[in-house]
Amino acid sequence: TKGFSIESCRSMVNLMDKDGNGKLGLVEFNVLWNRIRNYLSIFRKFDLDKSGSISAYELRLALEAAGYRLNKKLHELLITRYAEPDLALDFDSFVCCLVRLETMF
């Protein structure tokens, strides 16, 4: 991938910063690293054409594999927010989406 955007990094730090100091300690970073590895595994599994992005349909399957069963309206909102104009999500957008869902749930 091309790396994570500033938005993704902020979201990940906000999710994992359990002590509220705005930084990740070693334990917090380790938990985040393991989640990113899990997210990458899911992303690769559903990037069927190995293009480096997943379609809106593949996103639904990937989110279900990550443990999120969402209704059609919420899925459409996520596509509107995180997908490119061609309705595909790269890994950075996928991580942002999952982090946001995890924060909500």
Side-chain angles (χ1 to χ4, degrees), residues 2-103:
K2 297 173 281 185
F4 292 112
S5 67
I6 292 293
E7 178 187 355
S8 297
C9 293
R10 284 185 182 131
S11 294
M12 288 186 278
V13 169
N14 286 335
L15 174 67
M16 301 308 304
D17 181 22
K18 300 303 180 191
D19 55 9
N21 67 357
K23 301 175 186 176
L24 296 183
L26 187 58
V27 173
E28 293 166 327
F29 179 77
N30 186 43
V31 172
L32 174 62
W33 184 253
N34 287 329
R35 286 187 185 174
I36 291 171
R37 288 177 43 205
N38 182 44
Y39 295 162
L40 182 58
S41 173
I42 292 169
F43 185 85
R44 284 182 174 158
K45 180 179 178 183
F46 291 98
D47 179 14
L48 300 177
D49 61 357
K50 306 299 182 221
S51 65
S53 63
I54 57 176
S55 69
Y57 173 72
E58 292 167 334
L59 175 64
R60 178 180 292 281
L61 299 175
L63 291 176
E64 287 179 6
Y68 297 100
R69 292 190 57 87
L70 308 174
N71 65 34
K72 183 179 179 189
K73 182 66 176 170
L74 187 51
H75 185 260
E76 289 171 356
L77 288 171
L78 291 174
I79 292 298
T80 301
R81 169 65 179 90
Y82 293 103
E84 298 295 324
D86 64 354
L87 301 181
L89 285 88
D90 62 9
F91 182 65
D92 182 55
S93 296
F94 180 68
V95 169
C96 268
C97 180
L98 279 173
V99 166
R100 190 64 48 109
L101 284 171
E102 192 168 336
T103 302

